[in-house]
Amino acid sequence: MNKTVDAGQPAVTAAPLVPPVVLTGQVSWDTPSPIGQIKQIFGDEPLGFLSLFVSPKADFARIIAEAGTLFPDTDIAACTTAGEIGDDGYEEGQIIALGFPSSGFASTSLLIENIDDLAPLPLIDRVTLERVKLQEHHPEMISGFAFLLVDGLSRAEDGLSATISPALRDMPMFGGSAGDGTDFEDTSVALNGTVAQNAAVLTLVRSRYRTKVFSLDHLVPSDRQMVVTGADPGRRIVKTINAEPAAREYARIVGKDPEQLDRLTFASHPVVVRIGGAHHVRAIQQVNSAGELVFFSAIDEGMVLTVAAPQDMVDHLRSKMLGLSAHQKPSVILGCDCILRRIEAEQRQISRELSDVMSSYHVTGFSTYGEQIGALHVNHTMTGVAIYEEED
């Protein structure tokens, strides 16, 4: 202990410095040694796991190589982003880092390649084995979660999430799909120096701290429905709705000019599908040259889609954050936030207010091309994990 003594004053005992539950840091993508700067921010605290969310402006391979050199004994999972979430909420051009100290966390990470051609049983066996080993080696850590980073252009998130989920048993899973700003051209994930496309990184985490995995969206289903009557599920394309050309029929139902459909339209008039008693968004990415609708997640013929209306995004997020803070405010929230939420916020000119809410509740993470929650791949949501200071 350190003691400070003033003449004529009693000795004052200084409290020992206690490291944060999770270390967070961010640097600009053009910093000469970005990971070196992160290393300085984090200090010498031993890490069990390091997660990096890297702006598409940065040289992703160089960032990953530098991270491997400076954190040689740490599992490092990373991905490119569609924007970052940092100290000031929505950010651009940043490298976001979350370090999980080994004093409070234990983890194991798997690189899953060729996810568009999965062999389900070997993957289930692999995940199960790693989960059991992690639990057996750290019985004192009873809280936990699984964190999935996926190539956002793979179009394979639906099958991957559905395959992994049963092997996790009671370990809740969330995650996000790697992005490329708004370009949709080049997305990557990485694990321990290996950069990959058409791949995913699954990290299983045990913790001595209380954790809560969550998913939220601000959308309310309406009474306007449509049926997918023609589709190409492999490419997530809807050709016809109600036996009419898809884009034209969608525009008619939401009251828009079919020639003026854009990202704001899709963000403001999303469609949802009912699964297991709840509604989940099936977000539209774009209209292709054939007048078909390209979706961010799985779609198939016969699917009934319901148009949803957005609630006030700021009030809704604040309410959900208050809910997560009912017992104790989280020390940090690792969040995967759909790019459509960011686009909607920008178009409605509420980005600053939304960022203020995220900042005040220590939300750190990235904007995605889709989110994972349990066995589902969804859109227009924020999924994440709240991590608290109290031990579980």
Side-chain angles (χ1 to χ4, degrees):
M1 291 185 180
N2 299 320
K3 293 184 178 181
T4 304
V5 180
D6 260 344
Q9 297 292 329
V12 178
T13 302
L17 292 175
V18 179
V21 171
V22 176
L23 304 175
T24 60
Q26 68 181 74
V27 296
S28 176
W29 71 275
D30 56 358
T31 301
S33 176
I35 304 302
Q37 189 71 27
I38 294 293
K39 178 73 172 175
Q40 288 185 15
I41 295 170
F42 284 2
D44 297 325
E45 181 72 22
L47 301 180
F49 170 54
L50 174 65
S51 189
L52 298 174
F53 308 121
V54 182
S55 166
K57 296 179 180 179
D59 184 335
F60 188 67
R62 183 178 71 83
I63 298 299
I64 298 307
E66 184 181 15
T69 299
L70 295 179
F71 293 92
D73 302 318
T74 302
D75 271 350
I76 304 169
C79 73
T80 57
T81 76
E84 301 78 54
I85 303 172
D87 293 341
D88 294 322
Y90 284 139
E91 308 266 12
E92 291 284 353
Q94 298 293 303
I95 297 169
I96 305 292
L98 287 90
F100 295 78
S102 54
S103 58
F105 300 87
S107 66
T108 183
S109 295
L110 302 79
L111 178 65
I112 307 168
E113 299 185 278
N114 301 316
I115 59 175
D116 63 348
D117 188 25
L118 283 176
L121 291 180
L123 178 57
I124 291 171
D125 289 344
R126 185 181 170 198
V127 173
T128 300
L129 179 62
E130 292 299 325
R131 174 182 57 80
V132 171
K133 283 168 55 180
L134 185 65
Q135 291 173 331
E136 289 179 345
H137 291 169
H138 301 278
E140 78 285 3
M141 296 184 178
I142 61 173
S143 182
F145 57 89
F147 179 39
L148 183 65
L149 295 174
V150 193
D151 180 347
L153 296 180
S154 65
R155 296 198 296 264
E157 299 101 323
D158 304 273
L160 179 66
S161 298
T163 299
I164 291 172
S165 184
L168 295 172
R169 301 292 292 273
D170 59 349
M171 180 177 274
M173 182 174 71
F174 76 99
S177 300
D180 178 31
T182 55
D183 290 338
F184 299 95
E185 292 179 356
D186 185 17
T187 55
S188 298
V189 299
L191 176 63
N192 297 340
T194 300
V195 176
Q197 288 79 41
N198 190 31
V201 177
L202 175 67
T203 300
L204 310 181
V205 180
R206 304 297 297 179
S207 177
R208 65 183 180 88
Y209 298 106
R210 186 166 68 92
T211 62
K212 182 175 180 59
V213 168
F214 68 90
S215 175
L216 62 86
D217 71 72
H218 63 298
L219 305 172
V220 178
S222 71
D223 58 359
R224 292 175 292 171
Q225 293 186 328
M226 61 192 86
V227 179
V228 177
T229 50
D232 181 346
R235 295 192 296 154
R236 296 176 174 170
I237 291 176
V238 170
K239 299 172 180 284
T240 59
I241 291 172
N242 299 339
E244 298 289 340
R248 191 175 70 194
E249 180 67 358
Y250 166 80
R252 183 190 69 79
I253 290 171
V254 300
K256 297 293 181 180
D257 182 340
E259 301 300 322
Q260 302 297 319
L261 296 179
D262 57 16
R263 287 173 180 151
L264 176 59
T265 306
F266 303 143
S268 302
H269 303 277
V271 294
V272 299
V273 61
R274 189 172 182 85
I275 301 174
H279 284 89
H280 300 278
V281 180
R282 285 294 181 262
I284 303 167
Q285 178 181 334
Q286 63 182 3
V287 179
N288 66 17
S289 58
E292 302 163 334
L293 296 176
V294 182
F295 279 70
F296 276 108
S297 51
I299 208 78
D300 207 348
E301 292 182 4
M303 187 174 282
V304 178
L305 303 175
T306 301
V307 178
Q311 302 175 65
D312 183 285
M313 193 186 297
V314 176
D315 288 345
H316 180 269
L317 181 61
R318 185 180 292 113
S319 172
K320 294 299 182 181
M321 293 294 106
L322 283 170
L324 288 172
S325 306
H327 179 68
Q328 181 187 57
K329 191 172 183 178
S331 176
V332 68
I333 295 174
L334 169 52
C336 304
D337 188 63
C338 187
I339 187 176
L340 294 176
R341 288 171 57 86
R342 181 182 285 235
I343 291 171
E344 182 180 347
E346 290 171 351
Q347 295 292 336
R348 295 184 184 279
Q349 299 183 348
I350 57 172
S351 296
R352 184 67 269 152
E353 292 92 329
L354 208 60
S355 289
D356 288 344
V357 175
M358 289 189 284
S359 178
S360 65
Y361 286 92
H362 313 300
V363 179
T364 303
F366 73 112
S367 292
T368 75
Y369 281 177
E371 305 76 58
Q372 283 65 247
I373 186 70
L376 296 176
H377 171 62
V378 293
N379 304 115
H380 221 126
T381 69
M382 177 191 289
T383 64
V385 61
I387 303 174
Y388 301 84
E389 289 186 359
E390 67 179 3
E391 295 190 15
D392 204 335

